[in-house]
Amino acid sequence: MHTSPPSSSSFPRLSRRACLQWAAAAGVAALAGTVRAGALDRIRARGTLSVAIYQDMPPFHVAGQGIDIELARALAGALDVKLSLLPFLADENMGDDLRNMVWRGHYLGFGPADALLHVPVDRPLMDETPQALIFAPYYRERVVLARRLDRLPQLDTLSALGDAKVAVSGKTLAGWLMIGADNGAYRDQLDTQPKDGAEAARALQRGEVAAAAGLASEIESVLRGDARFAIAPLPSPRIQRNGWAVGMAVKKDATDLAQALQASVNALAQSGRLRTMFEGGNVAWQAP
């Protein structure tokens, strides 16, 4: 989802998912500081790890299934405790989600969880949210464009689209990029009704459009392995082709928990189990 990515406070008022997509890779957050006595011990004492996950985020969570569900189970297993999932609807921006699900709790009375998955490992976000530790990148996300090879055999620049119709969710970074590309040259040929990239990919699969834009994870989950389509980074100078890292967050003083979860993610990556989780969702794992 930037040669000089904006901080989360400068994001356009798009959906929280669009804000998340603005994040740039920043590496693992420093886990320095005084260890919170008992943070990990309390989890083991009660025998449950509470993990917040985003509701309806294909292919990471849809109807109780997805990559983030599998990762949460693995993390709980590594701590030898049971998993308690806390699905929630995204708020206006990532800062709100961190407040609601990591360090304070939601005003409706639920949360915070012990950990929140699918957090951009982004230095400006870390600086703006000192109440949370952001760490353990487990995937590298990108914005991509998929196309039918029989209709668009070559596409080095967006101008090669000609008048071909493109499906893209209007309330995402991919939608924002496509709507504004080349001074709005493609607006009339965009179908912006899909709710996300997976739905846009299905429109392409059905032959309703010649191309579809969205997150690599969304597009691949539908089209990966189908020889009729090509998937490549969106050819836009406004975003880095190598994408950004996605990780997790805990409360700032839960350093011992963060260290344990980081070690678990490292082990999952080294063993190949993390890659297998993504393959299960038909997504090519991109090391962060």
Side-chain angles (χ1 to χ4, degrees):
M1 217 173 270
H2 323 312
T3 53
S4 299
S7 69
S8 60
S9 62
S10 62
F11 290 159
R13 297 297 288 180
L14 302 174
S15 68
R16 176 245 150 229
R17 187 146 173 86
C19 294
L20 185 151
Q21 292 166 21
W22 270 111
V28 182
L31 301 181
T34 303
V35 173
R36 178 187 177 186
L40 184 56
D41 288 342
R42 282 196 299 274
I43 290 170
R44 286 178 168 150
R46 71 173 185 254
T48 303
L49 175 70
S50 173
V51 178
I53 56 170
Y54 286 101
Q55 191 77 275
D56 195 21
M57 180 185 279
F60 293 92
H61 179 216
V62 179
Q65 302 294 324
I67 296 167
D68 277 352
I69 301 288
E70 294 303 312
L71 176 58
R73 287 174 179 157
L75 295 175
L79 298 182
D80 197 25
V81 296
K82 295 179 180 179
L83 173 64
S84 175
L85 288 173
L86 183 55
F88 72 102
L89 295 173
D91 212 311
E92 288 296 319
N93 57 57
M94 196 68 231
D96 291 341
D97 293 342
L98 288 167
R99 181 190 65 242
N100 293 338
M101 306 313 300
V102 175
W103 61 270
R104 178 185 291 176
H106 201 280
Y107 66 87
L108 292 178
F110 60 90
D114 296 316
L116 167 63
L117 297 187
H118 227 94
V119 179
V121 184
D122 175 48
R123 177 53 60 185
L125 181 61
M126 295 174 192
D127 293 340
E128 293 167 11
T129 317
Q131 304 92 338
L133 287 174
I134 300 173
F135 65 102
Y138 57 89
Y139 177 60
R140 180 165 292 277
E141 188 65 274
R142 299 174 300 160
V143 177
V144 301
L145 183 74
R147 68 185 193 276
R148 288 187 62 97
L149 288 171
D150 60 348
R151 297 183 61 183
L152 296 167
Q154 297 292 331
L155 200 149
D156 296 325
T157 65
L158 288 176
S159 62
L161 287 169
D163 60 358
K165 193 171 183 180
V166 182
V168 61
S169 176
K171 296 182 179 180
T172 62
L173 176 58
W176 185 85
L177 290 168
M178 288 299 302
I179 291 169
D182 296 340
N183 297 315
Y186 312 104
R187 290 184 182 181
D188 292 342
Q189 63 203 75
L190 299 180
D191 172 8
T192 59
Q193 295 306 305
K195 66 177 182 178
D196 52 42
E199 192 170 286
R202 286 190 286 272
L204 174 58
Q205 192 177 49
R206 293 190 298 266
E208 297 169 5
V209 294
L215 294 179
S217 58
E218 297 171 322
I219 299 292
E220 287 180 2
S221 70
V222 177
L223 300 176
R224 182 170 175 247
D226 192 327
R228 295 175 298 168
F229 307 103
I231 303 172
L234 184 73
S236 170
R238 307 180 73 179
I239 189 169
Q240 286 187 348
R241 290 170 65 90
N242 67 345
W244 62 93
V246 175
M248 61 188 71
V250 299
K251 196 173 293 186
K252 68 174 181 179
D253 54 357
T255 315
D256 55 347
L257 174 59
Q259 291 170 336
L261 294 177
Q262 177 72 71
S264 299
V265 170
N266 291 347
L268 290 170
Q270 291 167 5
S271 69
R273 189 175 170 190
L274 191 56
R275 183 184 298 274
T276 300
M277 291 178 191
F278 279 84
E279 289 288 342
N282 199 31
V283 177
W285 181 61
Q286 296 288 331

